[in-house]
């Protein structure tokens, strides 16, 4: 969504699926592949942040792992 405020942008998100389990913040922090994940940076709130395709795939693997 275009905006005159360059600090904010709008994105369209859609539901894809439900994971069999929740992925916790401590789990995200412990995963080496997610060390650069913006949501884990100090001062960020839990909200919508950009993720790379690799980060997304890693989180999906974590959420679908049953054991």
């Amino acid at each position: 969504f275009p905006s005159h405020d360059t600090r904010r942008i709008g994105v369209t998100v859609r539901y894809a699926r439900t994971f069999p389990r929740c992925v916790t913040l401590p789990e995200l922090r412990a995963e080496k592949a997610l060390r650069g994940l913006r949501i884990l940076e100090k001062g960020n709130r839990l909200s919508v942040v950009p993720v790379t395709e690799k980060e997304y795939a890693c989180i999906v693997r974590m959420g679908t792992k049953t054991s």
Side-chain angles (χ1 to χ4, degrees):
F1 303 95
S3 172
H4 297 293
D5 184 348
T6 58
R7 296 171 296 160
R8 299 171 191 248
I9 60 168
V11 297
T12 301
V13 296
R14 68 177 172 81
Y15 170 83
R17 63 178 155 173
T18 301
F19 292 160
R21 63 179 210 81
C22 290
V23 179
T24 66
L25 190 55
E27 287 178 292
L28 293 175
R29 290 189 190 283
E31 179 58 49
K32 288 181 183 179
L34 299 176
R35 291 284 158 91
L37 191 63
R38 285 186 52 192
I39 199 71
L40 301 178
E41 293 175 5
K42 193 169 190 160
N44 275 331
R45 298 179 178 175
L46 294 176
S47 60
V48 177
V49 296
V51 296
T52 66
E53 288 185 35
K54 287 183 179 183
E55 291 167 338
Y56 176 79
C58 180
I59 295 167
V60 169
R61 278 193 303 277
M62 293 171 74
T64 55
K65 189 158 96 175
T66 56
S67 57

